[in-house]
């Protein structure tokens, strides 16, 4: 997983910056998503807003940061950036890696 992040984003910091920015800036409520895009065979960051199914067609979500107010309103007083910054300490990288390996093993489907 670390090698793939380095390959597709240049560095972990570059990836974390993209996912954090996507999550912090989603208009209204939604999610920031790290996904596997099978046709390009690459990791991508996506932004999903409200309840719409606007994740890239065919991509497989690997890591999702919830930016709906119900996730952080009481504890973080609706300060989304503080909440998103703390999410990084909760990521189960073994689970993300297992999802990544499974997504790559299935290959692209049309």
């Amino acid at each position: 997983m670390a090698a793939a992040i380095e390959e597709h984003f240049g560095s972990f910091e570059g990836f974390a910056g993209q996912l954090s920015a996507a999550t912090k800036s989603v208009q209204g409520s939604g999610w920031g998503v790290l996904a596997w895009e099978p046709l390009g065979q690459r990791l991508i960051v996506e932004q999903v807003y409200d309840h719409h199914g606007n994740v890239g067609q065919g991509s497989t979500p690997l890591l999702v940061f919830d930016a709906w107010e119900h996730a952080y309103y009481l504890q973080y007083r609706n300060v989304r950036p503080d909440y998103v910054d703390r999410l990084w300490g909760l990521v189960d990288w073994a689970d993300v890696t297992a999802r990544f390996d499974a997504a790559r093993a299935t290959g692209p489907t049309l």
Side-chain angles (χ1 to χ4, degrees), residues 2-83:
I5 287 172
E6 184 84 20
E7 177 185 351
H8 299 291
F9 296 100
S11 66
F12 181 83
E13 292 76 19
F15 153 66
Q18 284 188 36
L19 184 56
S20 290
T23 307
K24 291 175 183 180
S25 65
V26 67
Q27 187 170 7
S29 296
W31 302 268
V33 180
L34 170 66
W36 175 249
E37 195 283 299
L39 292 177
Q41 296 286 293
R42 63 176 294 113
L43 293 170
I44 59 173
V45 169
E46 301 178 290
Q47 188 179 68
V48 179
Y49 61 92
D50 293 333
H51 61 281
H52 304 288
N54 54 354
V55 173
Q57 192 166 6
S59 67
T60 301
L62 306 174
L63 173 63
V64 178
F65 281 180
D66 186 351
W68 283 69
E69 287 86 0
H70 68 262
Y72 61 90
Y73 182 78
L74 293 177
Q75 187 173 1
Y76 291 91
R77 300 289 183 226
N78 215 23
V79 181
R80 186 184 295 174
D82 291 349
Y83 162 75

Coordinates of all heavy atoms in Angstrom, one line a residue, residues 2-83:
A2 N 1.9 1.2 0.8 CA 2.8 2.4 0.9 C 3.5 2.7 -0.4 O 3.5 3.8 -0.9 CB 3.8 2.2 2.0
A3 N 3.9 1.6 -1.1 CA 4.5 1.8 -2.4 C 3.6 2.3 -3.5 O 3.9 3.2 -4.3 CB 5.1 0.5 -2.9
A4 N 2.3 1.9 -3.4 CA 1.3 2.4 -4.3 C 1.0 3.8 -4.1 O 0.8 4.6 -5.0 CB 0.0 1.5 -4.3
I5 N 0.9 4.2 -2.8 CA 0.6 5.6 -2.5 C 1.8 6.5 -3.0 O 1.5 7.5 -3.6 CB 0.4 5.8 -1.0 CG1 -1.0 5.2 -0.6 CG2 0.5 7.2 -0.6 CD1 -1.2 5.2 0.9
E6 N 3.0 6.0 -2.8 CA 4.2 6.8 -3.3 C 4.1 6.9 -4.8 O 4.3 8.0 -5.4 CB 5.4 6.0 -2.8 CG 6.7 6.7 -3.2 CD 7.1 7.8 -2.2 OE1 6.7 7.8 -1.0 OE2 7.9 8.7 -2.6
E7 N 3.8 5.8 -5.5 CA 3.7 5.8 -6.9 C 2.7 6.7 -7.5 O 2.9 7.5 -8.4 CB 3.5 4.4 -7.4 CG 3.3 4.3 -9.0 CD 2.9 2.9 -9.4 OE1 3.0 1.9 -8.6 OE2 2.6 2.7 -10.6
H8 N 1.5 6.7 -6.9 CA 0.3 7.4 -7.5 C 0.2 8.8 -7.0 O -0.5 9.7 -7.6 CB -1.0 6.6 -7.3 CG -0.9 5.3 -8.0 ND1 -0.9 5.1 -9.3 CD2 -0.8 4.0 -7.4 CE1 -0.9 3.8 -9.6 NE2 -0.8 3.2 -8.5
F9 N 0.7 9.2 -5.8 CA 0.6 10.5 -5.3 C 1.9 11.2 -5.0 O 1.9 12.4 -4.6 CB -0.2 10.4 -3.9 CG -1.6 9.9 -4.1 CD1 -1.9 8.6 -3.8 CD2 -2.6 10.8 -4.6 CE1 -3.2 8.2 -4.0 CE2 -3.9 10.3 -4.7 CZ -4.2 9.0 -4.5
G10 N 3.0 10.5 -5.2 CA 4.3 11.1 -5.0 C 4.9 11.0 -3.6 O 6.1 10.9 -3.4
S11 N 4.0 10.9 -2.7 CA 4.4 10.8 -1.3 C 3.1 10.6 -0.4 O 2.0 10.8 -0.9 CB 5.1 12.0 -0.7 OG 4.2 13.1 -0.7
F12 N 3.3 10.1 0.8 CA 2.2 9.9 1.7 C 1.6 11.3 2.0 O 0.4 11.5 2.1 CB 2.6 9.2 3.0 CG 1.4 9.0 3.9 CD1 0.6 8.0 3.7 CD2 1.2 9.9 4.9 CE1 -0.6 7.8 4.6 CE2 0.1 9.8 5.8 CZ -0.8 8.7 5.6
E13 N 2.5 12.3 2.2 CA 2.0 13.6 2.5 C 1.1 14.2 1.4 O 0.1 14.9 1.6 CB 3.2 14.6 2.8 CG 3.9 14.2 4.1 CD 4.9 13.0 4.0 OE1 5.2 12.6 2.8 OE2 5.2 12.4 5.0
G14 N 1.5 13.9 0.1 CA 0.8 14.4 -1.0 C -0.6 13.7 -1.0 O -1.6 14.4 -1.3
F15 N -0.6 12.4 -0.8 CA -1.9 11.7 -0.7 C -2.8 12.2 0.5 O -4.0 12.5 0.3 CB -1.7 10.2 -0.5 CG -2.8 9.5 0.2 CD1 -4.0 9.3 -0.4 CD2 -2.6 8.9 1.4 CE1 -5.0 8.7 0.3 CE2 -3.6 8.2 2.1 CZ -4.8 8.1 1.5
A16 N -2.2 12.3 1.6 CA -2.9 12.8 2.8 C -3.5 14.2 2.6 O -4.6 14.5 3.0 CB -2.1 12.7 4.1
G17 N -2.7 15.0 1.9 CA -3.2 16.4 1.6 C -4.4 16.4 0.7 O -5.3 17.1 0.9
Q18 N -4.3 15.5 -0.3 CA -5.5 15.4 -1.3 C -6.7 14.9 -0.6 O -7.8 15.4 -0.8 CB -5.1 14.5 -2.4 CG -4.2 15.2 -3.4 CD -4.0 14.3 -4.7 OE1 -5.0 13.7 -5.1 NE2 -2.8 14.4 -5.2
L19 N -6.6 13.8 0.2 CA -7.8 13.2 0.8 C -8.3 14.2 1.9 O -9.5 14.3 2.0 CB -7.5 11.8 1.4 CG -8.7 11.1 2.1 CD1 -9.8 10.9 1.0 CD2 -8.2 9.8 2.6
S20 N -7.5 14.8 2.6 CA -7.9 15.7 3.6 C -8.6 16.9 3.0 O -9.7 17.3 3.4 CB -6.7 16.3 4.5 OG -6.2 15.3 5.3
A21 N -8.1 17.5 1.9 CA -8.7 18.6 1.2 C -10.0 18.2 0.6 O -11.0 19.0 0.7 CB -7.8 19.1 0.1
A22 N -10.1 17.0 0.0 CA -11.4 16.5 -0.5 C -12.5 16.4 0.6 O -13.6 16.8 0.4 CB -11.2 15.2 -1.2
T23 N -12.1 15.9 1.8 CA -13.0 15.7 2.8 C -13.4 17.1 3.5 O -14.6 17.3 3.8 CB -12.4 14.8 3.9 OG1 -12.0 13.6 3.3 CG2 -13.4 14.4 5.0
K24 N -12.4 17.9 3.7 CA -12.7 19.2 4.4 C -13.5 20.1 3.5 O -14.3 20.9 4.0 CB -11.4 19.9 4.7 CG -10.6 19.2 5.8 CD -9.3 19.9 6.0 CE -8.4 19.1 7.1 NZ -7.1 19.8 7.3
S25 N -13.4 20.0 2.2 CA -14.0 21.0 1.3 C -15.3 20.5 0.6 O -15.9 21.2 -0.2 CB -13.1 21.4 0.2 OG -12.7 20.3 -0.6
V26 N -15.7 19.2 0.9 CA -17.0 18.8 0.3 C -18.1 19.7 0.7 O -18.2 20.1 1.9 CB -17.3 17.3 0.7 CG1 -17.6 17.1 2.2 CG2 -18.4 16.7 -0.1
Q27 N -18.9 20.2 -0.2 CA -19.9 21.1 0.1 C -21.1 20.4 0.7 O -21.5 19.3 0.2 CB -20.4 21.8 -1.2 CG -21.4 22.9 -0.9 CD -21.6 23.7 -2.2 OE1 -21.2 23.4 -3.3 NE2 -22.3 24.8 -2.0
G28 N -21.6 20.9 1.8 CA -22.7 20.3 2.5 C -22.1 19.1 3.3 O -21.2 19.2 4.0
S29 N -22.7 17.9 3.0 CA -22.2 16.7 3.7 C -21.8 15.7 2.6 O -22.2 15.8 1.5 CB -23.4 16.1 4.5 OG -23.8 17.0 5.5
G30 N -20.9 14.8 3.0 CA -20.4 13.8 2.1 C -19.2 13.1 2.6 O -19.0 13.0 3.8
W31 N -18.3 12.7 1.7 CA -17.2 11.9 2.1 C -16.0 12.2 1.2 O -16.1 12.6 0.0 CB -17.5 10.4 1.8 CG -18.7 9.9 2.6 CD1 -18.7 9.3 3.8 CD2 -20.0 9.9 2.2 NE1 -19.9 8.9 4.2 CE2 -20.8 9.3 3.2 CE3 -20.7 10.4 1.1 CZ2 -22.2 9.2 3.1 CZ3 -22.1 10.2 1.0 CH2 -22.8 9.6 2.0
G32 N -14.8 12.0 1.7 CA -13.6 12.0 1.0 C -13.2 10.5 0.8 O -13.3 9.7 1.8
V33 N -12.8 10.1 -0.4 CA -12.6 8.7 -0.7 C -11.3 8.4 -1.4 O -10.9 9.1 -2.4 CB -13.7 8.1 -1.6 CG1 -13.6 6.7 -1.9 CG2 -15.1 8.4 -1.0
L34 N -10.5 7.4 -0.8 CA -9.4 6.9 -1.6 C -10.0 5.6 -2.3 O -10.6 4.8 -1.6 CB -8.3 6.4 -0.6 CG -7.2 5.6 -1.3 CD1 -6.4 6.4 -2.3 CD2 -6.3 5.0 -0.2
A35 N -9.8 5.6 -3.6 CA -10.4 4.5 -4.4 C -9.4 3.9 -5.4 O -8.4 4.6 -5.7 CB -11.6 5.0 -5.1
W36 N -9.6 2.7 -5.8 CA -8.8 2.0 -6.8 C -9.6 2.2 -8.1 O -10.8 1.8 -8.2 CB -8.6 0.6 -6.5 CG -7.9 -0.2 -7.6 CD1 -8.5 -1.1 -8.4 CD2 -6.6 0.0 -8.0 NE1 -7.5 -1.6 -9.3 CE2 -6.4 -0.9 -9.1 CE3 -5.5 0.8 -7.6 CZ2 -5.1 -1.1 -9.7 CZ3 -4.3 0.7 -8.2 CH2 -4.1 -0.3 -9.3
E37 N -9.0 2.8 -9.1 CA -9.6 2.9 -10.4 C -9.0 1.9 -11.3 O -7.9 1.9 -11.7 CB -9.3 4.3 -11.0 CG -10.2 4.8 -12.1 CD -9.8 4.1 -13.4 OE1 -8.6 4.4 -13.8 OE2 -10.6 3.4 -14.0
P38 N -9.8 0.8 -11.7 CA -9.3 -0.4 -12.3 C -8.8 -0.2 -13.8 O -7.9 -0.8 -14.2 CB -10.4 -1.4 -12.2 CG -11.6 -0.6 -12.1 CD -11.2 0.7 -11.4
L39 N -9.5 0.7 -14.5 CA -9.1 0.9 -15.9 C -7.7 1.5 -16.0 O -6.9 1.1 -16.8 CB -10.1 1.7 -16.7 CG -11.5 0.9 -16.9 CD1 -12.4 1.8 -17.6 CD2 -11.3 -0.4 -17.6
G40 N -7.5 2.5 -15.2 CA -6.2 3.2 -15.2 C -5.2 2.5 -14.3 O -4.0 2.9 -14.3
Q41 N -5.7 1.5 -13.5 CA -4.8 0.8 -12.6 C -4.1 1.7 -11.7 O -2.9 1.7 -11.5 CB -3.8 -0.1 -13.4 CG -4.5 -1.2 -14.2 CD -5.0 -2.3 -13.3 OE1 -4.2 -3.1 -12.7 NE2 -6.3 -2.5 -13.3
R42 N -4.9 2.6 -11.0 CA -4.3 3.6 -10.1 C -5.2 3.9 -9.0 O -6.4 3.8 -9.0 CB -3.9 4.8 -10.9 CG -5.0 5.6 -11.5 CD -4.5 6.9 -12.2 NE -4.0 7.8 -11.2 CZ -2.7 8.2 -11.1 NH1 -1.8 7.7 -11.9 NH2 -2.3 9.0 -10.2
L43 N -4.5 4.5 -7.9 CA -5.2 5.0 -6.8 C -5.7 6.4 -7.1 O -4.9 7.2 -7.8 CB -4.3 5.0 -5.5 CG -3.9 3.7 -5.0 CD1 -2.9 3.9 -3.9 CD2 -5.1 3.0 -4.4
I44 N -6.9 6.8 -6.7 CA -7.4 8.1 -6.9 C -8.1 8.6 -5.7 O -8.5 7.8 -4.8 CB -8.4 8.2 -8.1 CG1 -9.6 7.3 -7.9 CG2 -7.7 7.9 -9.4 CD1 -10.7 7.4 -8.9
V45 N -8.2 9.9 -5.5 CA -9.0 10.5 -4.4 C -10.2 11.1 -5.1 O -10.2 11.8 -6.1 CB -8.2 11.6 -3.7 CG1 -9.1 12.4 -2.8 CG2 -7.1 11.0 -2.9
E46 N -11.4 10.8 -4.5 CA -12.7 11.3 -5.0 C -13.4 12.0 -3.9 O -13.1 11.8 -2.7 CB -13.5 10.1 -5.5 CG -12.9 9.3 -6.6 CD -13.7 8.1 -7.0 OE1 -13.8 7.2 -6.2 OE2 -14.2 8.2 -8.1
Q47 N -14.3 12.8 -4.3 CA -15.2 13.6 -3.3 C -16.6 13.2 -3.6 O -17.0 13.3 -4.8 CB -15.0 15.1 -3.5 CG -15.6 15.9 -2.5 CD -15.4 17.4 -2.7 OE1 -15.8 17.9 -3.7 NE2 -14.6 18.0 -1.8
V48 N -17.3 12.7 -2.6 CA -18.7 12.4 -2.8 C -19.5 13.4 -1.9 O -19.3 13.5 -0.8 CB -19.0 10.9 -2.3 CG1 -20.5 10.6 -2.5 CG2 -18.1 10.0 -3.1
Y49 N -20.5 14.0 -2.5 CA -21.3 15.0 -1.8 C -22.7 14.5 -1.6 O -23.2 13.8 -2.3 CB -21.3 16.4 -2.5 CG -21.9 16.3 -3.9 CD1 -23.2 16.6 -4.1 CD2 -21.1 16.0 -5.0 CE1 -23.8 16.6 -5.3 CE2 -21.6 16.0 -6.2 CZ -23.0 16.2 -6.4 OH -23.5 16.2 -7.7
D50 N -23.3 15.0 -0.5 CA -24.6 14.7 -0.1 C -24.8 13.2 -0.1 O -24.0 12.4 0.3 CB -25.7 15.4 -0.9 CG -25.6 16.9 -0.7 OD1 -25.2 17.3 0.4 OD2 -25.9 17.7 -1.6
H51 N -25.9 12.8 -0.7 CA -26.2 11.3 -0.7 C -26.1 10.8 -2.1 O -26.6 9.7 -2.4 CB -27.7 11.1 -0.2 CG -28.7 11.8 -1.0 ND1 -28.9 13.1 -0.9 CD2 -29.5 11.4 -2.0 CE1 -29.9 13.5 -1.7 NE2 -30.2 12.5 -2.4
H52 N -25.5 11.5 -3.0 CA -25.5 11.1 -4.4 C -24.4 10.0 -4.6 O -23.4 10.0 -4.0 CB -25.2 12.3 -5.3 CG -26.2 13.4 -5.1 ND1 -27.4 13.3 -5.6 CD2 -26.1 14.6 -4.5 CE1 -28.1 14.4 -5.2 NE2 -27.3 15.2 -4.6
G53 N -24.7 9.2 -5.6 CA -23.8 8.1 -5.9 C -22.8 8.6 -7.0 O -22.7 8.1 -8.1
N54 N -22.0 9.6 -6.6 CA -21.1 10.2 -7.6 C -19.6 9.8 -7.4 O -18.7 10.5 -7.7 CB -21.2 11.8 -7.6 CG -21.0 12.3 -6.2 OD1 -20.9 11.6 -5.2 ND2 -21.0 13.7 -6.1
V55 N -19.4 8.6 -6.9 CA -18.1 8.0 -6.9 C -17.8 7.6 -8.3 O -18.7 7.2 -9.0 CB -18.0 6.8 -5.9 CG1 -16.7 6.1 -6.0 CG2 -18.3 7.2 -4.5
G56 N -16.5 7.7 -8.7 CA -16.2 7.4 -10.1 C -16.7 6.1 -10.5 O -16.6 5.1 -9.8
Q57 N -17.3 6.0 -11.7 CA -17.8 4.8 -12.2 C -16.8 3.7 -12.3 O -15.7 3.8 -12.9 CB -18.4 5.0 -13.6 CG -19.3 3.9 -14.1 CD -20.1 4.3 -15.3 OE1 -20.0 5.4 -15.8 NE2 -21.0 3.4 -15.7
G58 N -17.1 2.6 -11.6 CA -16.2 1.4 -11.6 C -15.1 1.5 -10.6 O -14.4 0.5 -10.4
S59 N -14.9 2.6 -9.9 CA -13.9 2.6 -8.9 C -14.3 1.8 -7.6 O -15.5 1.7 -7.3 CB -13.5 4.0 -8.5 OG -14.6 4.7 -7.8
T60 N -13.3 1.4 -6.8 CA -13.6 0.6 -5.6 C -13.1 1.4 -4.4 O -11.9 1.7 -4.3 CB -12.9 -0.7 -5.6 OG1 -13.3 -1.5 -6.8 CG2 -13.1 -1.5 -4.4
P61 N -14.0 1.9 -3.5 CA -13.6 2.6 -2.4 C -12.7 1.8 -1.5 O -13.0 0.6 -1.2 CB -14.9 3.0 -1.7 CG -15.9 2.9 -2.7 CD -15.5 1.8 -3.6
L62 N -11.6 2.3 -1.0 CA -10.7 1.6 -0.1 C -10.6 2.3 1.3 O -10.5 1.6 2.3 CB -9.2 1.7 -0.7 CG -9.1 1.2 -2.1 CD1 -7.7 1.4 -2.6 CD2 -9.5 -0.3 -2.2
L63 N -10.8 3.6 1.3 CA -10.7 4.3 2.6 C -11.7 5.5 2.4 O -11.6 6.3 1.5 CB -9.3 4.8 2.9 CG -9.1 5.8 4.1 CD1 -9.5 5.1 5.4 CD2 -7.7 6.3 4.1
V64 N -12.6 5.6 3.4 CA -13.6 6.7 3.3 C -13.6 7.5 4.6 O -13.7 7.0 5.7 CB -15.0 6.1 3.0 CG1 -16.1 7.1 3.0 CG2 -15.0 5.2 1.8
F65 N -13.5 8.8 4.4 CA -13.6 9.7 5.5 C -15.0 10.4 5.5 O -15.4 11.0 4.5 CB -12.6 10.8 5.5 CG -11.2 10.4 5.9 CD1 -10.2 11.4 5.9 CD2 -10.9 9.2 6.4 CE1 -8.9 11.0 6.3 CE2 -9.7 8.8 6.8 CZ -8.6 9.7 6.8
D66 N -15.8 10.2 6.5 CA -17.2 10.7 6.7 C -17.2 12.1 7.0 O -16.6 12.5 8.1 CB -17.9 9.8 7.7 CG -19.4 10.1 7.8 OD1 -19.8 11.1 7.2 OD2 -20.1 9.4 8.6
A67 N -17.8 13.0 6.2 CA -17.8 14.4 6.5 C -19.2 14.9 6.7 O -19.5 16.1 6.6 CB -17.2 15.2 5.3
W68 N -20.1 14.0 7.0 CA -21.5 14.4 7.4 C -21.4 14.9 8.8 O -20.7 14.4 9.7 CB -22.5 13.2 7.3 CG -22.8 12.9 5.9 CD1 -22.0 12.3 5.0 CD2 -24.1 13.0 5.3 NE1 -22.7 12.2 3.8 CE2 -24.0 12.6 4.0 CE3 -25.3 13.5 5.8 CZ2 -25.1 12.6 3.1 CZ3 -26.4 13.6 4.9 CH2 -26.3 13.1 3.6
E69 N -22.2 16.0 9.1 CA -22.2 16.6 10.4 C -22.4 15.7 11.5 O -21.9 15.8 12.6 CB -23.2 17.8 10.5 CG -22.8 19.0 9.6 CD -23.2 18.9 8.2 OE1 -23.8 17.9 7.8 OE2 -22.9 19.8 7.4
H70 N -23.2 14.6 11.3 CA -23.5 13.7 12.4 C -22.3 13.0 12.9 O -22.2 12.5 14.1 CB -24.6 12.6 12.0 CG -24.1 11.7 11.0 ND1 -24.3 11.9 9.6 CD2 -23.3 10.6 11.1 CE1 -23.7 10.9 8.9 NE2 -23.1 10.1 9.8
A71 N -21.2 12.9 12.1 CA -20.0 12.2 12.5 C -19.2 13.1 13.5 O -18.4 12.5 14.2 CB -19.2 11.9 11.3
Y72 N -19.3 14.4 13.4 CA -18.4 15.2 14.2 C -19.0 16.4 15.0 O -18.3 17.1 15.7 CB -17.2 15.7 13.4 CG -17.7 16.6 12.2 CD1 -17.8 17.9 12.4 CD2 -18.0 16.0 11.0 CE1 -18.2 18.8 11.3 CE2 -18.4 16.8 9.9 CZ -18.5 18.2 10.1 OH -18.9 19.0 9.1
Y73 N -20.3 16.6 14.7 CA -20.9 17.9 15.2 C -20.7 18.1 16.8 O -20.3 19.1 17.2 CB -22.3 18.0 14.9 CG -23.0 19.3 15.3 CD1 -22.7 20.4 14.6 CD2 -23.7 19.3 16.5 CE1 -23.3 21.6 15.1 CE2 -24.3 20.5 16.9 CZ -24.0 21.7 16.2 OH -24.6 22.8 16.7
L74 N -21.1 17.1 17.5 CA -21.0 17.2 19.0 C -19.6 17.3 19.5 O -19.3 18.2 20.3 CB -21.8 16.1 19.7 CG -23.3 16.1 19.4 CD1 -23.9 14.9 20.1 CD2 -23.9 17.4 19.9
Q75 N -18.7 16.4 19.1 CA -17.4 16.4 19.7 C -16.5 17.6 19.1 O -15.7 18.1 19.9 CB -16.7 15.1 19.4 CG -15.4 15.0 20.1 CD -14.8 13.6 20.0 OE1 -15.4 12.7 19.3 NE2 -13.6 13.4 20.5
Y76 N -16.7 17.9 17.9 CA -15.8 18.9 17.3 C -16.5 20.2 17.0 O -16.0 21.1 16.3 CB -15.2 18.4 16.0 CG -14.2 17.3 16.3 CD1 -14.6 15.9 16.3 CD2 -12.9 17.6 16.6 CE1 -13.7 14.9 16.7 CE2 -12.0 16.6 16.9 CZ -12.4 15.3 16.9 OH -11.5 14.3 17.2
R77 N -17.7 20.4 17.5 CA -18.5 21.7 17.4 C -18.5 22.1 16.0 O -18.4 23.3 15.7 CB -17.9 22.7 18.3 CG -17.8 22.4 19.7 CD -19.2 22.4 20.3 NE -19.2 22.1 21.7 CZ -19.9 21.2 22.3 NH1 -20.9 20.6 21.7 NH2 -19.8 21.0 23.6
N78 N -18.7 21.2 15.1 CA -18.9 21.5 13.7 C -17.7 22.1 13.0 O -17.8 22.8 12.0 CB -20.1 22.4 13.4 CG -20.8 22.0 12.1 OD1 -20.7 20.9 11.6 ND2 -21.6 23.0 11.6
V79 N -16.5 21.8 13.6 CA -15.2 22.3 13.0 C -14.6 21.1 12.2 O -13.8 20.4 12.7 CB -14.3 22.8 14.1 CG1 -13.0 23.3 13.4 CG2 -14.9 23.9 14.9
R80 N -15.1 21.0 11.0 CA -14.7 19.8 10.2 C -13.2 19.7 10.0 O -12.7 18.5 10.1 CB -15.4 19.9 8.8 CG -15.1 18.7 8.0 CD -15.7 18.8 6.6 NE -17.1 18.9 6.6 CZ -17.9 19.1 5.6 NH1 -17.3 19.3 4.4 NH2 -19.2 19.2 5.7
P81 N -12.4 20.7 9.8 CA -11.0 20.5 9.6 C -10.3 19.8 10.8 O -9.5 18.9 10.6 CB -10.4 21.9 9.4 CG -11.5 22.6 8.8 CD -12.8 22.1 9.5
D82 N -10.7 20.2 12.0 CA -10.1 19.5 13.2 C -10.5 18.0 13.2 O -9.6 17.2 13.6 CB -10.6 20.2 14.5 CG -10.1 21.6 14.7 OD1 -9.2 22.0 13.9 OD2 -10.6 22.3 15.6
Y83 N -11.7 17.7 12.9 CA -12.2 16.4 12.9 C -11.4 15.5 11.8 O -10.9 14.4 12.1 CB -13.7 16.4 12.6 CG -14.3 15.1 12.1 CD1 -14.5 14.0 12.9 CD2 -14.6 14.9 10.7 CE1 -15.0 12.8 12.5 CE2 -15.1 13.7 10.3 CZ -15.3 12.7 11.1 OH -15.8 11.5 10.7

